[in-house]
Amino acid sequence: RKRHIAPVANVFRQWLDAKAADLLPESSVGKAVRYYRTQWENLTRFLTDPSIPIDNNDSERALKLAALLRKNCLFAGSEAGADRAALNLTLVETCRRVGVDTEQYLVWLVDQRARRRGTPAEHQVNDLTPHAYRDLTQAQKEQATGAG
């Protein structure tokens, strides 16, 4: 990545910097150039972190289901209902991607939310993700096999 793609990315960044002054800020191209320049670190992180894929094909594939179900969201009853449907689809897809049984995760999630009643949700977010559930269940399995 560093040998083949980084030089191309650097040339592109130089072009962005050179063009930025010549473009109207509210034009489509001006907005695109501003976006690339302000998000440059995030957009090029894949060059130094091998765990980040070069493309987003997996993300596109994951979102394809949501795009196919978009018409069904029209009948969600309200904008809030559509938001909840999108959240649920995201949770299901995240569970699938991290190798977690969705039904078991959702049962655990509801139980955890009931146990933590009164604790502000923003303090619980990272502890209640499918990733956290996966890590917890793996640790419990390891503990059970180590103890027995």
Side-chain angles (χ1 to χ4, degrees):
R1 293 177 184 197
K2 288 181 182 177
R3 186 175 18 162
H4 297 290
I5 301 170
V8 175
N10 289 333
V11 169
F12 181 53
R13 176 59 195 236
Q14 291 169 359
W15 181 86
L16 291 170
D17 292 341
K19 286 295 180 191
D22 299 335
L23 298 170
L24 293 173
E26 295 306 313
S27 69
S28 297
V29 176
K31 288 178 183 179
V33 167
R34 187 171 60 246
Y35 173 81
Y36 277 110
R37 291 178 77 213
T38 59
Q39 297 298 319
W40 187 256
E41 184 179 327
N42 294 327
L43 293 169
T44 58
R45 189 167 291 134
F46 75 95
L47 293 171
T48 56
D49 186 346
S51 69
I52 299 174
I54 291 175
D55 59 41
N56 70 341
N57 290 341
D58 288 342
S59 299
E60 294 290 336
R61 241 186 321 280
L63 293 172
K64 186 176 181 180
L65 176 62
L68 292 172
L69 295 174
R70 189 176 299 134
K71 284 186 180 180
N72 290 337
C73 288
L74 291 174
F75 304 102
S78 67
E79 188 174 328
D83 287 343
R84 285 190 293 275
L87 175 66
N88 288 333
L89 286 171
T90 302
L91 280 175
V92 168
E93 182 58 25
T94 302
C95 286
R96 187 191 68 77
R97 289 183 57 99
V98 299
V100 168
D101 180 279
T102 304
E103 185 176 351
Q104 290 176 1
Y105 166 71
L106 291 173
V107 168
W108 174 82
L109 179 63
V110 170
D111 179 64
Q112 290 300 306
R113 285 294 291 143
R115 290 173 190 249
R116 299 171 185 213
R117 199 164 296 236
T119 304
E122 60 269 13
H123 296 300
Q124 302 179 43
V125 172
N126 292 332
D127 295 339
L128 299 176
T129 64
H131 293 86
Y133 173 73
R134 177 198 61 201
D135 295 345
L136 177 69
T137 55
Q138 284 178 349
Q140 288 172 341
K141 286 179 187 175
E142 290 171 7
Q143 188 178 28
T145 57

